[in-house]
Amino acid sequence: MHPTQGKEIAVIVLNWNGRALLEQFLPSWIEHTPDCAELIIVDNGSTDDSVAFLQSHYPEVATLCFQENYGYAEGYNHAIQALDYPIVVLLNSDASLSAGWLDEPLRLLGEHSDVVAIQPTIRAYHEPSRYEYAGAAGGYIDAFGYPFCRGRIFDTLEYDEGQYATPVEIFWASGACLIVRRSAYLEVGGLDRDFFAHQEEIDLSWRLNARGYRILHAPSSIVYHVGGGTLSAESPRKVFLNFRNNLLMLYKNLPAPRLYHVLLWRVFLDTLASLVYLLSLRPRHALAVLRAWRGFLVTRGEYEAVRGENLRRTTTPPSPAILKPYSLLWHYYILRQRTYSQLP
């Protein structure tokens, strides 16, 4: 597909066997996609009647159909490579839009040439005044690689009461709704297809930061997200992917000797996490942490060339303002600081 004349933005929804989600959320996407943007449903080799549903009920909506399921990361990579729009929006199929959600992001991109990605405020679809787990008001990671957000630290979710109402620089933007300049996305290699799911947007954001680009949170842009559509929070598979992908991300992006210092601490901290799962009678989750480390050690060698390229192309190491220098575990569990505003 080529851009419709006058359209500078592609709002891309990746669909795989999501007929029910299309029925539920497509009216919101159509209603709130502005004239300057094109809504495009990318079907990732669905085997249900998603495509037939679109053709019969929404023939005016642009579609791009793949013959096979490329997965989340590679599906978006293929779509963004094929769709030549200056700005692309990666929108989850379980997200609902609101009026004017693109206004502030487009203004921020227009005002700052070094800003290449924007995250809206992500609120919970079923509890609209509360931040949603996958992104909240923009993400950071701590000194040992644990991700968290303004508005969400571990399982503590704040209500949006205007406490994060100013646009600020963030370390990572949520994949639930990621607004990004296509040229920068392609320049850094897009999403890592081998992550399968979880933390691939943090890894992408790290590469963008390292090349000297900036990522901002746009507080007045509101998107509502259901979350947990791929794997539930109670899934051992989700635990495995989160821990393994996090370790791979650190290996890909952290320079030595900092990498080895962090990994040494992570052996201790992740072993502790496994013991906590075991003591809380969740042996499959405990095993998933150990399997994640095994997966990391087995896979690490395949990333040596990627790691070398990332370190060579790093022009701007992330500042302490966005890659935090403290331990989130210490502040959350020992000092009982449960909200972002309480942290250093």
Side-chain angles (χ1 to χ4, degrees):
M1 290 181 63
H2 296 284
T4 302
Q5 189 171 2
K7 309 269 187 177
E8 295 293 311
I9 304 146
V11 179
I12 305 171
V13 180
L14 193 67
N15 171 73
W16 181 74
N17 289 350
R19 157 71 186 267
L21 291 174
L22 292 173
E23 276 192 270
Q24 182 177 1
F25 293 107
L26 191 52
S28 159
W29 306 336
I30 293 173
E31 180 182 0
H32 298 301
T33 297
D35 292 339
C36 62
E38 181 94 36
L39 172 63
I40 302 168
I41 310 300
V42 176
D43 188 77
N44 213 6
S46 290
T47 55
D48 68 356
D49 62 342
S50 292
V51 175
F53 169 77
L54 289 169
Q55 290 172 343
S56 62
H57 291 81
Y58 295 96
E60 75 280 9
V61 174
T63 57
L64 175 63
C65 297
F66 297 144
Q67 296 304 306
E68 60 183 287
N69 179 11
Y70 288 109
Y72 176 85
E74 191 68 354
Y76 268 118
N77 288 345
H78 277 290
I80 291 169
Q81 187 73 50
L83 299 169
D84 190 15
Y85 292 74
I87 298 170
V88 293
V89 181
L90 287 67
L91 180 67
N92 274 14
S93 58
D94 61 347
S96 177
L97 302 175
S98 66
W101 68 283
L102 263 179
D103 294 348
E104 186 177 34
L106 294 182
R107 178 179 62 78
L108 292 171
L109 288 171
E111 291 175 354
H112 306 281
S113 60
D114 61 337
V115 170
V116 296
I118 304 284
Q119 184 202 291
T121 295
I122 311 292
R123 290 196 199 153
Y125 180 77
H126 294 296
E127 199 172 355
S129 60
R130 192 189 287 269
Y131 288 111
E132 206 273 322
Y133 186 91
Y140 303 92
I141 63 172
D142 81 340
F144 301 110
Y146 295 109
F148 63 103
C149 307
R150 296 193 308 162
R152 190 274 294 174
I153 301 178
F154 294 122
D155 292 327
T156 299
L157 293 160
E158 299 178 48
Y159 286 97
D160 185 357
E161 299 172 333
Q163 65 271 48
Y164 308 119
T166 303
V168 297
E169 187 171 357
I170 56 178
F171 185 74
W172 60 270
S174 170
C177 184
L178 172 61
I179 303 157
V180 61
R181 298 188 199 271
R182 178 178 180 268
S183 58
Y185 182 96
L186 295 176
E187 177 192 333
V188 303
L191 297 169
D192 188 330
R193 65 179 183 180
D194 294 325
F195 274 34
F196 178 74
H198 299 296
Q199 304 208 23
E200 63 271 50
E201 74 267 53
I202 307 178
D203 174 62
L204 170 68
S205 298
W206 197 325
R207 280 175 275 135
L208 291 170
N209 278 292
R211 268 73 159 175
Y213 297 125
R214 293 197 300 142
I215 303 169
L216 298 183
H217 166 236
S220 69
S221 172
I222 310 294
V223 171
Y224 300 95
H225 184 227
V226 175
T230 306
L231 292 169
S232 76
E234 292 303 309
S235 167
R237 174 68 172 165
K238 184 169 186 172
V239 172
F240 167 80
L241 289 169
N242 268 318
F243 276 84
R244 187 205 62 174
N245 292 351
N246 186 266
L247 293 167
L248 286 172
M249 177 180 67
L250 295 173
Y251 182 75
K252 288 173 64 177
N253 297 289
L254 267 184
R258 178 67 184 163
L259 171 68
Y260 307 112
H261 172 79
V262 170
L263 289 180
L264 209 59
W265 270 102
R266 285 294 297 269
V267 170
F268 168 72
L269 294 171
D270 292 356
T271 301
L272 189 61
S274 183
L275 288 173
V276 170
Y277 279 129
L278 199 59
L279 292 172
S280 60
L281 303 180
R282 289 187 284 179
R284 294 176 63 211
H285 294 71
L287 184 60
V289 178
L290 302 180
R291 287 182 54 245
W293 264 93
R294 181 181 179 276
F296 162 65
L297 294 172
V298 168
T299 311
R300 180 184 57 179
E302 300 172 15
Y303 279 93
E304 285 185 14
V306 174
R307 168 177 166 78
E309 180 186 9
N310 285 347
L311 295 180
R312 280 194 304 273
R313 297 182 66 187
T314 296
T315 59
T316 311
S319 74
I322 56 174
L323 204 163
K324 304 298 185 179
Y326 50 75
S327 167
L328 187 65
L329 293 170
W330 176 264
H331 285 275
Y332 186 85
Y333 289 108
I334 307 301
L335 301 182
R336 316 297 277 183
Q337 295 173 338
R338 300 297 173 85
T339 65
Y340 181 82
S341 60
Q342 295 176 312
L343 296 174

